[in-house]
Amino acid sequence: MLGPILETLIGGLLTGVLYSLVALGFVLIFKASGVFNFAQGVMVLFAALSVARLSEFFPMPIAIALAVVVMIALAYAIEFLVLRRLVNQEGIILFMATLGVTYFLEGFGQTVWGSDIYKIDLGMPKNPIFVLESVFPGGLLIDPSELIAALICAIMVVALAIFFQVTRVGRALRAVADDHQAAQSVGIPLNQIWLMVWAVAGIVALVAGMMWGAKLGVQFSLSLVALKALPVLILGGFTSIPGAIVGGLIIGAGEKLAEVVLGPVLIRMFDLAGGGIENWFAYVLALMFLLVRPQGLFGEKIIERV
Amino acid sequence: MIRKIAGIAAASVLAGGTLGGPALAQNEQFIPHLVYRTGAYAPNGIPFANGVADYYRLVNARDGGINGVTISYEECDTGYATDRGVECYERLKKKGPTGAAYFLPLSTGITFALTEKAPIDKIPIISMGYGRSESRDGAVFQWNFPLLGTYWTAADIIIQHIAKTEGGFDKLKGKKIALVYHDSPYGKEPIALLQKRAQMHGFETLLLPVTHPGVEQKATWLQIRQNRPDYVLLWGWGVMNSTAIKEAVAVAYPRGKMYGVWWSGAEPDVRPAEGGATGYHAVTLQHTAGQFKVHEDLKKYVYDKGNGNAKWEETDEILYIRGMINAMLGVESIRTAQAKFGKKPLTGEQVRWGIENLDLSAARIKDLGFEGVLKPIKVSCADHEGARTGRIQTWDGKNWKITSDWYVADDNVIAPMVKDAATKYAAEKKIAPGCLTN
């Protein structure tokens, strides 16, 4: 029994890394502009669709480069058409604006790029590898494409951490997040900062979209998978990059273990139809965290004077 | 890309104008179609919708309509959501000079929801290859027509084939057969039949539901790896199918041991998995992919004139052909009804009679250009399914190939189940069973 549990744990952790990658995009924008960008999920889809469709006409490296241009153009369009007109508005107004962006991009993405299932071929190995075959019967199964995705995610995290903590731009981003007006008063160009952070979030979405797209195929449903980042954020905290990573790992491992280990128990005990635990477990876990630690594991505790 | 945008624009015009249009002429038969060209299920919804639309267009262009009555056709996008399906139904049911001829919901969930509305509005529901399995009992489900096959038919044919592969039904004893299913009314339909067959032959069933839209299946396939079933039956739709095959590759489950229902056996289900899908099987709703006689007319009257909805090379794909079959059965039902009620636009109630008396012989199927696609079908009040045959096809990496003889679902097993379920439904809904005469 230990073998299957370990295998599920490893698979869950690797999937969790992919959740983290999407969650990073949310954290970036929230940390730098105080906006909870509901459109991050659909940005993942849009970015993946761009790479997949462009790679039908160009070699993959060029398709990726062009997709980066598309995501930067998208960031500019969002900044110019939406955010610039909402400076100093309440967070909830900005959140609602990103909801609008979500629905627009969902339809626009399918209109421009199509609704079929498209592929992104990054040349990643598809067949599983088996380790510790002498210890566990049949060995422990590991999906090599998820291992590679985890490695790429780790590189992204290190790069983003350096960007935020060490560079001048990173500090400016944090200043904007604290207070738009105060940041403007010390000469930080708000529009440029917003453009930059949305462009970086777009590139993170591109990486996440490529990883998920190579694994599942690129299709509308990708934006729904990306929403799994929400419980990850609640768990890890909206402002913490390490939180997004740890949250992703907990959610990934937790939901897979719940489905495989808890599922059969529930079926035996309550004669349920079973299944589907994987989908709701993450949200229940997030809900429990909201009750006891609303700022998440690594989020900043908000104290307001009244 | 420009072609794609132009295609979408053309589809919109088609939906709202060319065949439909706000001002419908009096000699037009209005036929609505619930489609999904966007959303998670669009990869499978689009080719089916194209097949339906192009067949209506063919009948109008080649024959001037059905006995001179032009088809007016309108799509409504449901996104495969039941609530939107009901909304589309309400919006379109009274359109046209005589209201909707029939509805094609293309969703078991929407079919379930419309089953109670259809008798009130007197509009038949054609759920070809889907819907409630017991709805073939026309005495209880007077307005439902699960033509060509129900999910009990599909599951029975697959089990028959597995038994044949193993060397007989007695060899199924002790085997383990898993069902990976879309956690919806659609996916749950085959469970009753599988449990019945499991009881009869002593095999074990392992039920593994997958939640909409079906892109997260890792835990499901890890359970398959741990339980090591002898066979896996796949009851998916849309992106769930290709994801299942990819996950099977990821856990090294042999694709040759996997059997999909006919909604899990089309090109969009296997192509994303590339070579990984080679050896995967699916039961057919009689037909497979390919070019048939009907394609000659389709090319001459529709595609050569630049009026086709799809690319020409997509017209030989499974879901496109299925869309054409569904439209053809609807058209022939109207033609049957016209023989009784006159060559004019008919009401839903009159078309219902036409569907219930549909009788397509091999000769008529050949005349229609569907030889090699369909076997004869004869519908009656006692049998709203009309035919219960199918074959197994296998993906060879590039194409679907038929790899079995014809099977007929065993009515000794299915008919009593239909009777029980239909009687129970009639009691629940306080329906007095009986055949409608008109």
Side-chain angles (χ1 to χ4, degrees):
Chain A
M1 188 62 194
L2 184 63
I5 290 177
L6 266 178
E7 200 171 82
T8 307
L9 181 67
I10 294 167
L13 288 172
L14 292 176
T15 306
V17 174
L18 290 175
Y19 291 153
S20 303
L21 203 52
V22 183
L24 269 180
F26 283 94
V27 170
L28 266 181
I29 290 183
F30 192 81
K31 199 173 162 68
S33 62
V35 179
F36 179 77
N37 176 28
F38 195 78
Q40 190 65 29
V42 81
M43 280 170 68
V44 170
L45 168 67
F46 194 84
L49 274 173
S50 304
V51 175
R53 297 313 307 277
L54 288 167
S55 68
E56 291 172 15
F57 305 100
F58 304 100
M60 187 53 83
I62 296 174
I64 295 171
L66 288 174
V68 170
V69 174
V70 168
M71 294 313 289
I72 291 171
L74 180 70
Y76 180 76
I78 292 172
E79 192 282 321
F80 183 76
L81 296 171
V82 183
L83 297 176
R84 188 174 290 191
R85 283 138 229 289
L86 297 173
V87 173
N88 274 332
Q89 295 291 333
E90 292 288 327
I92 188 70
I93 304 288
L94 293 163
F95 169 70
M96 295 302 279
T98 67
L99 263 180
V101 171
T102 302
Y103 289 112
F104 171 75
L105 275 184
E106 264 182 19
F108 183 67
Q110 290 180 87
T111 304
V112 174
W113 300 121
S115 316
D116 224 327
I117 304 175
Y118 305 101
K119 64 177 181 184
I120 294 179
D121 190 0
L122 298 175
M124 290 210 264
K126 293 182 177 66
N127 290 324
I129 47 176
F130 298 93
V131 296
L132 299 174
E133 285 183 86
S134 55
V135 183
F136 302 103
L140 291 182
L141 178 145
I142 293 173
D143 187 340
S145 65
E146 290 182 345
L147 260 185
I148 295 169
L151 190 67
I152 291 170
C153 180
I155 294 168
M156 286 285 292
V157 170
V158 172
L160 287 171
I162 292 169
F163 177 70
F164 265 94
Q165 299 302 330
V166 178
T167 66
R168 266 175 71 86
V169 178
R171 281 199 292 275
L173 290 174
R174 280 153 52 203
V176 170
D178 280 346
D179 192 316
H180 295 174
Q181 273 183 322
Q184 272 182 316
S185 71
V186 294
I188 295 173
L190 195 59
N191 294 339
Q192 281 180 27
I193 290 292
W194 271 356
L195 172 60
M196 193 174 296
V197 75
W198 278 75
V200 173
I203 291 164
V204 172
L206 178 66
V207 176
M210 282 165 54
M211 294 299 118
W212 276 109
K215 181 178 154 64
L216 299 173
V218 180
Q219 207 265 330
F220 175 82
S221 318
L222 217 55
S223 64
L224 304 176
V225 178
L227 286 183
K228 196 52 84 65
L230 293 179
V232 171
L233 290 170
I234 293 169
L235 213 73
F238 282 77
T239 52
S240 167
I241 289 175
I245 307 301
V246 175
L249 294 175
I250 293 174
I251 292 289
E255 65 178 17
K256 299 310 184 246
L257 283 171
E259 179 77 55
V260 174
V261 180
L262 191 63
V265 176
L266 288 178
I267 292 168
R268 268 200 307 275
M269 284 176 67
F270 303 106
D271 195 26
L272 299 173
I277 296 172
E278 186 176 4
N279 283 275
W280 56 255
F281 181 83
Y283 295 95
V284 170
L285 198 64
L287 205 63
M288 284 157 62
F289 254 81
L290 270 181
L291 293 174
V292 295
R293 198 176 163 82
Q295 73 274 29
L297 280 174
F298 298 89
E300 292 162 15
K301 198 163 188 175
I302 301 164
I303 301 166
E304 286 185 5
R305 288 181 197 282
V306 288
Chain B
M1 205 63 58
I2 290 164
R3 188 190 155 86
K4 186 96 198 170
I5 294 168
I8 290 165
S12 312
V13 171
L14 167 73
T18 316
L19 292 180
L24 290 160
Q26 285 309 300
N27 198 36
E28 286 185 346
Q29 182 73 60
F30 178 66
I31 308 177
H33 186 204
L34 310 189
V35 300
Y36 24 100
R37 290 184 179 275
T38 57
Y41 301 92
N44 297 56
I46 291 171
F48 188 92
N50 286 344
V52 171
D54 283 352
Y55 190 78
Y56 292 146
R57 198 175 267 132
L58 170 65
V59 171
N60 278 348
R62 183 189 59 193
D63 312 330
I66 311 166
N67 289 320
V69 179
T70 312
I71 296 171
S72 148
Y73 165 78
E74 184 170 329
E75 291 186 352
C76 185
D77 202 309
T78 68
Y80 197 64
T82 300
D83 55 340
R84 279 168 64 184
V86 173
E87 191 187 321
C88 285
Y89 170 87
E90 292 294 341
R91 183 141 52 89
L92 296 174
K93 69 183 183 186
K94 288 183 179 158
K95 205 161 181 180
T98 52
Y102 53 77
F103 273 88
L104 313 177
L106 198 56
S107 151
T108 296
I110 298 172
T111 306
F112 271 46
L114 299 186
T115 293
E116 293 183 37
K117 289 177 172 286
I120 298 164
D121 296 321
K122 298 194 183 306
I123 302 171
I125 307 292
I126 300 179
S127 57
M128 191 188 84
Y130 57 95
R132 284 176 178 274
S133 298
E134 65 269 34
S135 68
R136 72 172 235 203
D137 184 340
V140 174
F141 296 90
Q142 295 156 333
W143 297 86
N144 292 62
F145 294 88
L147 301 177
L148 293 185
T150 66
Y151 293 129
W152 290 352
T153 296
D156 196 73
I157 290 172
I158 294 174
I159 296 298
Q160 282 188 47
H161 180 74
I162 289 173
K164 191 176 175 188
T165 309
E166 288 286 335
F169 278 107
D170 57 317
K171 301 286 193 302
L172 293 182
K173 193 171 174 60
K175 298 278 182 205
K176 196 183 280 183
I177 299 178
L179 173 70
V180 176
Y181 65 97
H182 193 273
D183 197 5
S184 65
Y186 153 56
K188 290 173 184 166
E189 271 296 307
I191 293 174
L193 187 284
L194 289 176
Q195 287 173 336
K196 175 82 175 171
R197 280 285 195 185
Q199 207 176 27
M200 288 168 66
H201 311 299
F203 63 82
E204 187 188 336
T205 53
L206 177 66
L207 303 177
L208 297 167
V210 174
T211 309
H212 156 86
V215 283
E216 290 185 79
Q217 296 182 41
K218 188 161 201 69
T220 304
W221 287 89
L222 283 172
Q223 287 179 83
I224 283 175
R225 175 168 149 74
Q226 287 156 24
N227 287 286
R228 299 180 202 279
D230 298 285
Y231 294 95
V232 170
L233 271 49
L234 180 60
W235 236 259
W237 185 225
V239 74
M240 174 183 160
N241 291 327
S242 55
T243 304
I245 295 169
K246 285 182 174 187
E247 291 290 0
V249 175
V251 299
Y253 187 83
R255 266 68 72 203
K257 298 282 184 182
M258 290 175 68
Y259 288 85
V261 66
W262 42 63
W263 300 112
S264 301
E267 291 81 359
D269 306 321
V270 286
R271 280 189 186 141
E274 298 172 65
T278 303
Y280 166 71
H281 313 284
V283 63
T284 65
L285 191 62
Q286 298 202 13
H287 68 96
T288 183
Q291 293 270 329
F292 301 93
K293 187 80 170 52
V294 66
H295 283 86
E296 290 173 17
D297 283 351
L298 190 68
K299 183 152 176 43
K300 185 175 168 188
Y301 291 99
V302 180
Y303 278 80
D304 281 353
K305 292 187 164 56
N307 291 330
N309 251 17
K311 291 177 191 161
W312 174 248
E313 58 271 23
E314 292 168 354
T315 60
D316 62 358
E317 292 184 357
I318 284 180
L319 290 169
Y320 182 91
I321 293 171
R322 193 167 300 162
M324 283 209 297
I325 293 170
N326 204 160
M328 181 273 282
L329 292 176
V331 166
E332 292 313 304
S333 297
I334 292 171
R335 203 186 303 278
T336 304
Q338 282 180 344
K340 179 179 165 81
F341 300 105
K343 293 171 183 174
K344 58 181 183 181
L346 302 178
T347 62
E349 193 171 10
Q350 291 166 330
V351 173
R352 192 213 73 84
W353 185 90
I355 309 172
E356 195 166 87
N357 289 277
L358 183 68
D359 182 2
L360 293 182
S361 64
R364 179 63 185 148
I365 287 170
K366 189 177 177 184
D367 285 348
L368 290 165
F370 285 84
E371 191 183 28
V373 182
L374 276 188
K375 286 173 91 75
I377 172 170
K378 184 171 174 22
V379 186
S380 65
C381 171
D383 181 11
H384 273 197
E385 193 178 8
R388 272 178 282 287
T389 56
R391 294 174 286 182
I392 300 297
Q393 59 178 357
T394 305
W395 180 251
D396 70 1
K398 286 184 179 156
N399 297 297
W400 286 104
K401 298 274 187 224
I402 294 290
T403 49
S404 83
D405 293 331
W406 286 94
Y407 289 95
V408 180
D410 188 348
D411 228 19
N412 291 324
V413 178
I414 297 176
M417 292 175 64
V418 169
K419 187 78 189 157
D420 287 350
T423 306
K424 196 174 158 199
Y425 182 86
E428 265 175 29
K429 304 291 177 186
K430 299 187 171 50
I431 296 169
C435 295
L436 296 177
T437 49
N438 275 317

